[in-house]
Amino acid sequence: MGKSVSVSPLAPAEFPNLPVIDGVEFSTAAAAIRHHERPDVMLARMAPGTTVAGVFTRSSMRSASVLDCQEKIVLHDDSGAAIIVNSGNANAFTGRNGAMAVKSVTKSAAEILGLPESRVFSSSTGVIGEKLPHERINAKLRELSQSLSPHGARNAALAITTTDTFPKGAGKTLEINGNHVNIAGIAKGSGMIAPDMATMLSYVFTDAKISRALLQRKVSEFSKTTFNGITVDGDTSTSDTVLVAATAKSGVEITDDCKEFWDGLHQIMLELAQLIVRDGEGATKFVEVSVSGAISASDARIHALSIANSPLVKTAIAGEDPNWGRIVMAIGKSGALADRDKLTIHIGDILVAAEGWAAPEYVEKDAAEYMKNRDIAIRVDIGLGRERAVVWTCDFTHGYIAINADYRS
Amino acid sequence: MGKSVSVSPLAPAEFPNLPVIDGVEFSTAAAAIRHHERPDVMLARMAPGTTVAGVFTRSSMRSASVLDCQEKIVLHDDSGAAIIVNSGNANAFTGRNGAMAVKSVTKSAAEILGLPESRVFSSSTGVIGEKLPHERINAKLRELSQSLSPHGARNAALAITTTDTFPKGAGKTLEINGNHVNIAGIAKGSGMIAPDMATMLSYVFTDAKISRALLQRKVSEFSKTTFNGITVDGDTSTSDTVLVAATAKSGVEITDDCKEFWDGLHQIMLELAQLIVRDGEGATKFVEVSVSGAISASDARIHALSIANSPLVKTAIAGEDPNWGRIVMAIGKSGALADRDKLTIHIGDILVAAEGWAAPEYVEKDAAEYMKNRDIAIRVDIGLGRERAVVWTCDFTHGYIAINADYRS
C-alpha cells in the first residue's frame, strides 16, 4: 500500500520448504489490480479427479466470489479444478458488477484451462466497494496457464498477500501404510486489514484420495478449531475463504478413520491459521486463550473469544501487564455461564486467581516477568462443566492504530 | 492514577449549574482508598419518603456492592435512603471479603444516619481483585454525616471519578401543571478504565413524588436507550450501577402518563450517558450510530453495536477516513439480518452507499471533509423492516492504547 512495513516480530524465520503436491501447479502474474510492482494474481490448477471442499465467511455481506464458490463447492465432477485469486480489490459490495466480474473471470479461466465453469473457484481480497478491473485478470489468463509449475507455492503465497508482512505456508509429508501422502497449504491475512483491505484466505492441497463428502465434513469440523479459532480484532471479513483440494495422485485413499491423515490436515490448517495471527496488525505477542470447565462447548468458545477480543485484555498484554482483573471482566461480560467463586485463572503456569479472589500464593512480579515472553498463554477454568475451547489472538498495540487510523486511503 | 491526563477535547466547557433537589444532601471525604490527595468517598442522603430505582451490570462477575444493591432495590420503606460510593477500589472479585466489606460499610452508615440497613446503597469503583480497605471508609462516616449539604453535587461528581478527565453532571427544572420539579444527576466513567479501573456509575435525583414500581419500570426502560446505548470499547464493567431517587419533596406526583417529566428524566439520563462517551479513553470524536429499517429492535441494536464496537470502524473515524467498506463489514459480521442490495449508508447527510454499491453521486472528498468534525453521525438503513436503534461511541486512538497499554499498574 505504498507504506513500507517491517516484518512482524512474530513471523517464522523463513517460508517453509513445502512438499510438492502431485496434481497441483501454480502460476502468478502482475495484473496491476492495485499494486503496480508485484504479482497480484495467482492461479492453481488441480488434476482430473480432484475433490474440493470449502468453508466461507458467514458475513451477510459476502463477496461475489464467496457466493460463487458456495454454489460451486457442492458440485463435483472428475474433470479437475482451478482456483484463481487476486489481491488489491475484494470485489465486495460491488452490486451486480461484482457477480458479473466473477462470472467473466471464472468463465474465461475455464475456457483456457479446458475445465467446466463450475470447477473454477475464485477469491478476491483488497479494497471493498470498488469495481474489480476483471479485464486485467482476464488479460493475464493465457500467461498464467502457460507458466504453471508444481513448485510455485511460495510465489502464489506472495501474490495473494495484501498488508501481510510475510508470505504464509505450511506443509508436511505423512507415511500412511507405507505410502507417502503430502499436504501443503498457503494463506494470507493479518487482521481485517489496513486500510481497506479485508480477508483471510487459505488454500490447502493434498495428493491423497478423498471423497468430496468426507473431505467437506472434515474441513468443516477442523475449521472450528483452526481458522475459526483465531481473532485479531473481532472484525470478520466479507471474503474469508478456505479451500482444500485432494488430487488423489498419491493413490492413497483416505477413509474417515485414518487418524494420521486427519491429524496431519488439522495440524496444517492450524499452522496456517496461527501464522495469520502471527502477522496480526501491529502484533508483538502471540496469545493462546484456553477455556476449560464450561457447561457447553459453545459457552467455552464464547468465554474464550470474549477474552481474546477484549481491547482491555489485549492492551494489557501489549503493556506486559498481568492484569487478570480484565480477564475476570471479559468472562463476566461474555454472556456465557460463569460463577465467580468457581473460576480459576492461570497466566502461563502461574495461578493468579481462584475461589473468587487473587490466589494466596500469587506474586505479581512473577507474572509480570512471564508477560515479557513473545508467546503468552492464558488458561481459564470455569469450574462448572467439562467442555473446552482454545482460541488464538495477538496483542493490541499502537501499531494497530497506526496501520488502521493514521493512514488515509 | 498519578499520570496527568488533559481534559477530553469532547468535554463540555464547564460543570453545569445543577438545580438543588429538595430532600437530597451530599458530602465527600478523603479516605485514602488509593489516591491520597483528593476526596474519594461520597455520601448522598435522601429524605424520608424517597423511592429508589436501579439498573445494574449484567456481568456474571458482578461486584459485591452490585449484588447488595440488587437485593435492596426491590424493598421499600418510608424512612429515607443513602448512597455511599468510593473510588480507587472496585471491591470486585474479592471473594467473601467483598460482601463483608459492603455489609460493614452499609451497616455502619445506616447506624450513623439512623436508617435501616436495607436503605443504604453502595458502589465501589477502581482496581479489581484487591481487598477494599473498608475500615478507612467507616472511619470517615461521622465526618461525612456531619458535612452534608444540598449544594454538594459537583464535589460528589468529582469524588467518584477514577480516570475521568472531567466531572459529569446534568440537570433541569421542569414546570408541571404550574409546579416546579427538579432533576439532577451525576455520573462517572470513561471506558472500562485504565489501568485496572472499571465502571460506569450514575446517580440521579428528583424532588418528584413517584411510586417505586413506576420509577423502576421507567428507569429500566430508559436505560436501554441511554446508559445501555453507549459503548467505548465493548468492555462491560463488573460494577455498573445507575440509581434514581425521587424524594417527593416538591409534592408533585408523577403518573405514568406525565410525558413532560418522563421526557425530562430520559433526557438527563441520556446527557449523563453521553458525557461518559465524551470522556471515552483517548476519544477525539463523538459518534452517533443510527440504524433503521431492521426487522426487529434487537436486530437494529445488534447492527448498531457491531458498527460502534468495530475496531476498524473506530480507527477509521480516528483517521478521519470515510471508510464505509468497514461499516459494510461490521453489518455483515453482526449476525443480524441484512441484505446487501437493500442497505443504505449515510455519513452525516452524505449518501455513501445504496443498492449494493457506492452511491453514484458519492464524492469521497466531501465525506472526508465531513469526517473532520468532532461529532460524527453514521446512519444505516437496513431496508428490511421498521425497527430502529441508536448508540453512541467514540473513536479509537493512540490515546486509548497509551492509557491502557503503556502504563503498568
Side-chain angles (χ1 to χ4, degrees):
Chain A
M1 300 299 298
K3 191 176 166 188
S4 80
V5 177
S6 55
V7 172
S8 167
L10 306 174
E14 55 189 13
F15 192 85
N17 203 353
L18 298 183
V20 165
I21 307 298
D22 192 3
V24 183
E25 296 165 294
F26 301 92
S27 59
T28 60
I33 300 296
R34 187 176 170 104
H35 308 277
H36 292 261
E37 288 157 36
R38 66 167 179 83
D40 51 7
V41 181
M42 83 113 191
L43 174 68
R45 181 172 70 182
M46 285 81 80
T50 295
T51 52
V52 184
V55 291
F56 305 93
T57 181
R58 276 173 288 220
S59 169
S60 66
M61 300 290 142
R62 287 190 288 282
S63 69
S65 57
V66 168
L67 293 169
D68 184 65
C69 282
Q70 287 182 307
E71 275 181 30
K72 292 173 174 174
I73 200 79
V74 293
L75 310 172
H76 173 70
D77 70 52
D78 268 339
S79 53
I83 302 172
I84 183 149
V85 184
N86 73 275
S87 56
N89 183 311
N91 191 25
F93 211 69
T94 45
R96 276 181 301 277
N97 281 278
M100 280 164 49
V102 171
K103 174 87 181 166
S104 171
V105 169
T106 58
K107 184 164 185 282
S108 303
E111 280 167 14
I112 285 174
L113 298 169
L115 289 170
E117 230 180 293
S118 65
R119 298 297 285 163
V120 180
F121 301 92
S122 73
S123 305
S124 295
T125 176
V127 184
I128 294 178
E130 285 186 17
K131 191 166 173 289
L132 176 69
H134 63 274
E135 64 292 345
R136 297 186 204 164
I137 302 174
N138 290 348
K140 293 288 174 180
L141 288 172
R142 182 72 56 190
E143 176 189 329
L144 285 162
S145 73
Q146 288 165 351
S147 57
L148 287 159
S149 152
H151 300 284
R154 184 175 186 276
N155 284 342
L158 271 169
I160 64 175
T161 57
T162 54
T163 53
D164 304 58
T165 72
F166 60 91
K168 298 165 185 70
K172 73 188 303 180
T173 299
L174 305 168
E175 201 176 300
I176 293 178
N177 302 329
N179 300 298
H180 284 150
V181 174
N182 300 290
I183 308 175
I186 59 174
K188 69 122 329 201
S190 72
M192 227 295 313
I193 308 164
D196 270 315
M197 297 290 151
T199 296
M200 169 174 86
L201 300 179
S202 187
Y203 309 99
V204 180
F205 307 91
T206 175
D207 48 16
K209 182 175 183 192
I210 315 171
S211 78
R212 208 205 71 79
L214 176 60
L215 186 61
Q216 182 63 57
R217 183 155 57 75
K218 293 290 188 180
V219 168
S220 295
E221 179 191 329
F222 295 167
S223 291
K224 289 182 200 156
T225 51
T226 60
F227 293 104
N228 285 327
I230 62 171
T231 177
V232 168
D233 48 19
D235 277 343
T236 306
S237 146
T238 53
S239 313
D240 293 335
T241 296
V242 176
L243 293 173
V244 181
T247 67
K249 287 283 185 184
S250 69
V252 179
E253 182 149 10
I254 303 297
T255 51
D256 191 6
D257 56 358
C258 184
K259 190 169 179 312
E260 281 161 289
F261 178 81
W262 297 120
D263 285 353
L265 178 61
H266 185 271
Q267 189 198 321
I268 295 303
M269 289 171 69
L270 184 59
E271 278 182 36
L272 290 167
Q274 293 187 350
L275 284 171
I276 293 171
V277 170
R278 289 187 182 277
D279 205 5
E281 291 172 340
T284 66
K285 307 274 185 191
F286 178 82
V287 186
E288 178 172 285
V289 179
S290 318
V291 171
S292 58
I295 58 151
S296 68
S298 156
D299 262 24
R301 185 173 161 81
I302 289 167
H303 281 308
L305 283 173
S306 182
I307 296 166
N309 281 326
S310 159
L312 286 170
V313 171
K314 290 159 82 88
T315 48
I317 294 168
E320 304 189 335
D321 180 1
N323 192 324
W324 58 270
R326 295 184 182 178
I327 300 171
V328 171
M329 175 282 301
I331 296 162
K333 76 161 182 168
S334 78
L337 274 185
D339 178 330
R340 185 191 70 185
D341 296 341
K342 295 191 171 150
L343 204 60
T344 311
I345 301 174
H346 283 82
I347 295 179
D349 288 328
I350 302 165
L351 176 66
V352 296
E355 297 178 5
W357 206 6
E361 65 271 37
Y362 173 62
V363 180
E364 179 164 305
K365 194 166 59 66
D366 298 345
E369 192 58 35
Y370 174 79
M371 295 301 288
K372 293 179 183 161
N373 289 312
R374 281 234 162 127
D375 285 20
I376 301 290
I378 295 173
R379 287 190 290 135
V380 173
D381 191 277
I382 302 296
L384 295 179
R386 306 171 64 92
E387 299 300 326
R388 49 181 68 232
V390 186
V391 304
W392 296 272
T393 190
C394 53
D395 57 343
F396 213 172
T397 66
H398 283 289
Y400 183 88
I401 304 286
I403 293 167
N404 287 298
D406 296 353
Y407 177 80
R408 273 282 287 114
S409 58
Chain B
M1 300 299 303
K3 191 174 167 190
S4 79
V5 177
S6 55
V7 171
S8 165
L10 306 173
E14 55 190 13
F15 193 84
N17 203 355
L18 298 183
V20 165
I21 307 297
D22 193 3
V24 183
E25 296 165 295
F26 302 92
S27 60
T28 60
I33 301 294
R34 186 174 172 106
H35 307 277
H36 293 259
E37 288 157 37
R38 65 166 179 84
D40 51 6
V41 180
M42 84 114 191
L43 174 68
R45 182 173 69 182
M46 285 80 80
T50 295
T51 52
V52 184
V55 291
F56 305 94
T57 181
R58 278 172 287 218
S59 169
S60 65
M61 299 291 140
R62 287 189 289 279
S63 68
S65 57
V66 167
L67 293 169
D68 185 65
C69 281
Q70 287 183 306
E71 275 181 29
K72 292 172 174 174
I73 199 77
V74 293
L75 309 172
H76 174 70
D77 69 52
D78 268 338
S79 53
I83 302 170
I84 183 148
V85 184
N86 74 274
S87 57
N89 184 313
N91 191 25
F93 211 70
T94 45
R96 277 181 301 278
N97 282 277
M100 281 164 49
V102 170
K103 176 87 182 165
S104 170
V105 169
T106 58
K107 185 164 183 285
S108 304
E111 279 165 16
I112 285 174
L113 299 169
L115 289 170
E117 229 180 292
S118 65
R119 298 297 285 164
V120 180
F121 302 91
S122 72
S123 305
S124 294
T125 175
V127 182
I128 295 178
E130 285 185 17
K131 191 165 173 289
L132 177 68
H134 63 274
E135 64 291 347
R136 297 187 203 163
I137 302 173
N138 289 349
K140 293 287 174 180
L141 288 173
R142 184 69 60 190
E143 176 189 329
L144 284 162
S145 74
Q146 287 165 351
S147 57
L148 287 159
S149 152
H151 300 283
R154 184 174 185 280
N155 284 343
L158 271 169
I160 64 174
T161 57
T162 53
T163 53
D164 304 59
T165 71
F166 61 92
K168 298 165 186 70
K172 71 188 304 179
T173 300
L174 306 167
E175 203 177 299
I176 293 177
N177 303 329
N179 299 299
H180 284 151
V181 174
N182 299 290
I183 309 174
I186 59 174
K188 70 119 331 198
S190 71
M192 229 294 312
I193 308 165
D196 270 317
M197 297 290 152
T199 296
M200 170 174 86
L201 300 179
S202 186
Y203 309 99
V204 180
F205 307 90
T206 175
D207 48 17
K209 182 174 183 191
I210 315 171
S211 78
R212 208 207 71 81
L214 176 60
L215 187 60
Q216 183 62 56
R217 184 155 56 78
K218 293 288 188 180
V219 168
S220 295
E221 180 189 329
F222 296 168
S223 291
K224 289 181 200 157
T225 50
T226 59
F227 293 105
N228 285 328
I230 62 172
T231 177
V232 168
D233 49 19
D235 277 343
T236 306
S237 146
T238 54
S239 312
D240 293 334
T241 295
V242 176
L243 293 173
V244 180
T247 67
K249 287 284 186 184
S250 69
V252 180
E253 181 148 8
I254 302 298
T255 51
D256 191 7
D257 56 359
C258 184
K259 190 171 179 312
E260 281 161 289
F261 178 83
W262 297 119
D263 285 352
L265 179 61
H266 185 269
Q267 189 199 319
I268 295 302
M269 289 171 69
L270 184 59
E271 276 181 37
L272 290 167
Q274 292 186 350
L275 284 171
I276 293 170
V277 171
R278 288 186 182 278
D279 207 4
E281 291 172 340
T284 66
K285 309 271 185 190
F286 178 83
V287 186
E288 178 172 286
V289 179
S290 317
V291 171
S292 58
I295 59 151
S296 69
S298 157
D299 262 24
R301 187 174 159 80
I302 289 167
H303 281 308
L305 284 172
S306 182
I307 297 166
N309 281 326
S310 160
L312 286 170
V313 171
K314 292 159 81 88
T315 47
I317 295 167
E320 304 189 335
D321 179 1
N323 193 325
W324 59 269
R326 294 184 183 179
I327 300 171
V328 170
M329 174 282 300
I331 296 163
K333 76 163 181 168
S334 78
L337 274 186
D339 178 331
R340 185 192 71 187
D341 297 340
K342 293 190 173 150
L343 206 60
T344 311
I345 302 174
H346 282 84
I347 294 180
D349 288 329
I350 302 165
L351 177 66
V352 296
E355 296 179 4
W357 206 6
E361 65 271 37
Y362 173 62
V363 180
E364 180 165 304
K365 192 165 61 64
D366 297 346
E369 192 58 36
Y370 173 79
M371 295 302 288
K372 293 180 183 160
N373 290 312
R374 281 236 163 124
D375 285 20
I376 300 290
I378 294 172
R379 288 190 288 135
V380 173
D381 192 276
I382 302 295
L384 295 179
R386 305 170 65 91
E387 298 301 325
R388 50 182 66 232
V390 186
V391 305
W392 296 271
T393 190
C394 52
D395 57 344
F396 212 171
T397 68
H398 283 291
Y400 183 88
I401 303 287
I403 293 167
N404 287 297
D406 295 353
Y407 178 79
R408 272 283 286 115
S409 60

